[in-house]
Amino acid sequence: MPVPALDPTSLTALVRDSATAPSMHNAQPWRFHFASDSRTLRISADPARAMPTSDPDRRAVHIGCGAALFNLRVAAAHAGWHPGVRLLPDPADPLLMATVHFGADAATDEAGSLAALYPAVRQRHTSRWPFDDKEVPERVRAALAEAAREEQARLAFPGQWHTEVLRELVLDAEGRDREDPGRLADIERWTRIGPEADVSTEGVPAYAFGPRKRRGEALVRDFAGRRAVAGRGATAFELVPHLALLGTTGDRALDWLRAGQAMERVLLLATLHGLATSLTSHALEWPDLRSLARDPLSAMGHVQIVLRLGYGPMGPTTPRRPVNEILDIE
């Protein structure tokens, strides 16, 4: 089967879909470079968007780039392309996360399963609003766990005692953050309050903060902190949060990229099942707290992200940078 042309319009659409991926504080830490002669797209980390205090080893940067890579795979499959992916292809260039070569659609089962997720690429948004206490059905949990396994990661649903441990770890992290100038600086750099919230193309805008938590046990990060946000109220959140831990066996750059792809696969599938989702890395940003987040009886080696799932508002669309700022074509 002949390989169809990949013109700038099609490539722009693929990258625009890719960049809808979530990233820590919506920093969007990715760049794309397309070599027309080899039909290869390079996805690189943008060091200017790293957070030196909150993410010193750039684990979250890798996870965000992995999520963008997965969206690209989904969009490519939907458009009829077969994306050949190589992770960390150049040891001499640690910023190069992956290369993607576009070949003709192989019409495999995997291509079909990826393409089926495409409707959720634009529907998925992080929701910091209250969810219902309604249980997530076991069949949905099983499907989400299988989605993580397909990307060489694990998804576990903590029980009551473990959920309480996670809540205590988040409270500990919140207390530490308030006393850490570097972490406060990271938050302030990547949040948008006031008029800039409506025009910025990056960061977390005030309209996406969600309400303050008056009561409830949901693990929702308050990006406002002690800053006033006009018109922001407070409300009750779920009493019984439904959480999932996504993790990997190892804890190196390759594992983080796989975790990012697994995270996005889970989030897109959850969206298709009608679930609202949010992410938290709050306690995981402190090495000693991160080690405590793992269930000692679990086969999961390292927790990479905590997911909050439930039935409720999907959350608003958050800004994204224009494609011409993140994509170069030669």
Side-chain angles (χ1 to χ4, degrees), residues 70-71 74 112-125 136-151 155 157 246 261-277 307 309-311 314:
F70 186 79
N71 272 1
V74 168
S113 65
L114 287 173
L117 295 172
Y118 184 74
V121 167
R122 297 299 182 93
Q123 296 173 11
R124 183 217 62 81
H125 305 300
V136 178
E138 180 56 37
R139 62 176 180 80
V140 176
R141 290 187 177 198
L144 298 179
E146 177 58 29
R149 280 193 292 272
E150 289 176 1
E151 299 300 327
L155 192 72
F157 299 90
L246 189 142
Q261 293 184 86
M263 177 188 75
E264 187 68 349
R265 188 164 199 147
V266 169
L267 292 174
L268 295 183
L269 184 60
T271 300
L272 291 182
H273 279 288
L275 289 168
T277 61
L307 285 67
L309 310 168
Y311 297 95
M314 288 292 183

Side-chain angles (χ1 to χ4, degrees), residues 156-174 217-219 241-246 280 282-284 289-295 303 305-307:
F157 299 90
Q160 182 177 354
W161 73 267
H162 196 181
T163 297
E164 180 60 26
V165 168
L166 293 171
R167 192 181 75 86
E168 293 296 328
L169 294 178
V170 167
L171 291 175
D172 194 345
E174 288 175 346
E217 303 300 328
L219 304 189
H242 301 301
L243 305 177
L245 302 182
L246 189 142
T280 180
H282 207 166
L284 308 183
L289 300 183
R290 183 181 173 217
S291 65
L292 296 175
R294 176 183 174 271
D295 181 347
V303 179
I305 200 76
V306 180
L307 285 67

Side-chain angles (χ1 to χ4, degrees), residues 26-270:
N26 194 28
Q28 304 169 51
W30 43 67
R31 290 197 62 85
F32 302 83
H33 181 92
F34 184 68
S36 302
D37 56 348
S38 63
R39 302 165 59 86
T40 300
L41 184 68
R42 295 162 60 93
I43 303 177
S44 298
D46 185 344
R49 295 175 174 274
M51 299 173 203
T53 303
S54 303
D55 186 35
D57 57 6
R58 297 182 181 170
R59 184 177 65 87
V61 168
H62 284 73
I63 290 174
C65 288
L69 171 60
F70 186 79
N71 272 1
L72 184 73
R73 290 168 54 198
V74 168
H78 171 75
W81 294 90
H82 173 66
V85 177
R86 291 181 62 202
L87 299 179
L88 303 176
D90 185 358
D93 184 0
L95 294 179
L96 180 58
M97 301 287 100
T99 57
V100 182
H101 178 76
F102 295 92
D105 182 11
T108 62
D109 290 343
E110 170 65 3
S113 65
L114 287 173
L117 295 172
Y118 184 74
V121 167
R122 297 299 182 93
Q123 296 173 11
R124 183 217 62 81
H125 305 300
T126 296
S127 178
R128 300 181 184 89
W129 270 256
F131 296 166
D132 295 339
D133 284 323
K134 176 183 175 182
E135 288 282 346
V136 178
E138 180 56 37
R139 62 176 180 80
V140 176
R141 290 187 177 198
L144 298 179
E146 177 58 29
R149 280 193 292 272
E150 289 176 1
E151 299 300 327
Q152 302 182 56
R154 301 178 70 92
L155 192 72
F157 299 90
Q160 182 177 354
W161 73 267
H162 196 181
T163 297
E164 180 60 26
V165 168
L166 293 171
R167 192 181 75 86
E168 293 296 328
L169 294 178
V170 167
L171 291 175
D172 194 345
E174 288 175 346
R176 295 185 187 189
D177 285 355
R178 285 192 290 268
E179 305 301 322
D180 189 313
R183 292 172 191 270
L184 290 175
D186 285 343
I187 290 289
E188 290 181 3
R189 179 189 176 195
W190 293 107
T191 49
R192 306 290 183 260
I193 296 176
E196 68 172 347
D198 296 324
V199 297
S200 179
T201 60
E202 60 192 7
V204 183
Y207 61 76
F209 288 1
R212 290 190 182 275
K213 185 168 59 177
R214 186 169 61 234
R215 64 175 182 274
E217 303 300 328
L219 304 189
V220 181
R221 191 171 201 154
D222 188 351
F223 280 100
R226 297 173 180 172
R227 295 173 292 173
V229 177
R232 186 182 186 221
T235 191
F237 280 70
E238 58 265 30
L239 295 175
V240 182
H242 301 301
L243 305 177
L245 302 182
L246 189 142
T248 52
T249 301
D251 197 32
R252 297 184 178 182
L254 182 62
D255 303 293
W256 303 337
L257 281 172
R258 287 172 174 164
Q261 293 184 86
M263 177 188 75
E264 187 68 349
R265 188 164 199 147
V266 169
L267 292 174
L268 295 183
L269 184 60

